[in-house]
Amino acid sequence: MSDSSSPSLPSLPGRIVAVFVSPGRLFEQLRDKPVWGATMLLLVILNVIMMFLIPAELFEEQIRRSVGDAGMGEDEIAVAVTVGRYAGIAMAGVMGAVGSFIIGAALFFVFSTLLGDNGRFRQYLSVVVHALLVSSVGALIQVPLKRSAGDMELVLSLGTFAPFLQDGFLLSFLSAIGLFGIWCAMLMAIGVTRIQPTRGWGGAFTVVMVLYCVFALGTAAITSMVS
């Protein structure tokens, strides 16, 4: 489709609204003009704000749990809390960008390289960064829940609906599949079908969720090894 026949692309504020209320139309527009830079910068900023809003007390509690009986003094713990908090804030920002490229590359590899779709990497990256806005907004929404529960690792996930499970691999796996993450996967599947109109949403969503579950399995495995 030529640029002359393409609907005009909304500004960044308009795209933020559109990804929640009219993602199909937005991804059609992004297919023809796959912008991503400003949106990725916004993701980084939102992730940094989210981590900054988590109280230092929760970082301290996590540090104390992780050091256990290591014999660290109060001064050492205070330094670890400060370093850990600011390192976590910086890492959240970095992962907002790096994670977008990784997910975009994964979708491009699976759909364009393995399944033969016609999409370009830039198109998949554009879809990913806009879909991840939902995840970043969701992370901000969950900050009050973390603060009230006194648990900085609290997330709304499939594990939330399995309180009967004991700590272990299965609960870690379900906890790694966030509800906002599933929403993002649904949006990415819509984006895939706009990049390749012949591909059905159900098949695209299944592929994206398989990739998500592979990530969750890796997260659960790491959690099991360090716990």
Side-chain angles (χ1 to χ4, degrees), residues 89-212:
I89 291 172
M91 184 60 65
V94 170
M95 289 308 298
V98 174
S100 298
F101 278 106
I102 292 174
I103 298 171
L107 294 187
F108 173 72
F109 176 75
V110 171
F111 286 103
S112 285
T113 304
L114 296 183
L115 299 180
D117 288 0
N118 296 319
R120 294 175 286 121
F121 172 70
R122 184 184 179 93
Q123 292 174 310
Y124 289 104
L125 179 60
S126 180
V127 164
V128 166
V129 295
H130 286 84
L132 287 179
L133 286 173
V134 169
S135 181
S136 294
V137 171
L140 285 171
I141 292 173
Q142 292 173 89
V143 169
L145 298 177
K146 298 175 186 286
R147 296 173 70 106
S148 62
D151 183 2
M152 66 176 291
E153 297 181 352
L154 176 67
V155 293
L156 296 176
S157 67
L158 295 184
T160 306
F161 302 98
F164 49 86
L165 292 177
Q166 296 181 346
D167 290 342
F169 182 83
L170 179 56
L171 182 58
S172 296
F173 170 69
L174 294 177
S175 298
I177 303 178
L179 301 185
F180 286 97
I182 296 174
W183 187 352
C184 287
M186 295 170 67
L187 292 174
M188 291 178 194
I190 294 174
V192 167
T193 64
R194 296 309 188 268
I195 294 172
Q196 182 71 27
T198 58
R199 183 166 297 283
W201 180 85
F205 178 64
T206 299
V207 172
V208 176
M209 279 304 299
V210 167
L211 294 174
Y212 193 4

Side-chain angles (χ1 to χ4, degrees), residues 29-125:
Q29 296 166 325
L30 290 173
R31 175 189 60 202
D32 300 302
K33 189 175 181 181
V35 298
W36 56 270
T39 312
M40 182 178 291
L41 178 60
L42 178 60
L43 282 178
V44 170
I45 293 172
L46 290 177
N47 287 354
V48 167
I49 292 174
M50 180 273 295
M51 290 296 291
F52 187 78
L53 291 176
I54 296 177
E57 292 78 10
L58 296 187
F59 280 91
E60 180 176 353
E61 182 179 347
Q62 185 182 51
I63 292 294
R64 289 185 181 277
R65 287 201 305 264
S66 63
V67 299
D69 299 325
M72 292 178 65
E74 290 299 318
D75 291 341
E76 293 174 307
I77 291 178
V79 171
V81 169
T82 301
V83 172
R85 186 182 187 204
Y86 287 103
I89 291 172
M91 184 60 65
V94 170
M95 289 308 298
V98 174
S100 298
F101 278 106
I102 292 174
I103 298 171
L107 294 187
F108 173 72
F109 176 75
V110 171
F111 286 103
S112 285
T113 304
L114 296 183
L115 299 180
D117 288 0
N118 296 319
R120 294 175 286 121
F121 172 70
R122 184 184 179 93
Q123 292 174 310
Y124 289 104
L125 179 60

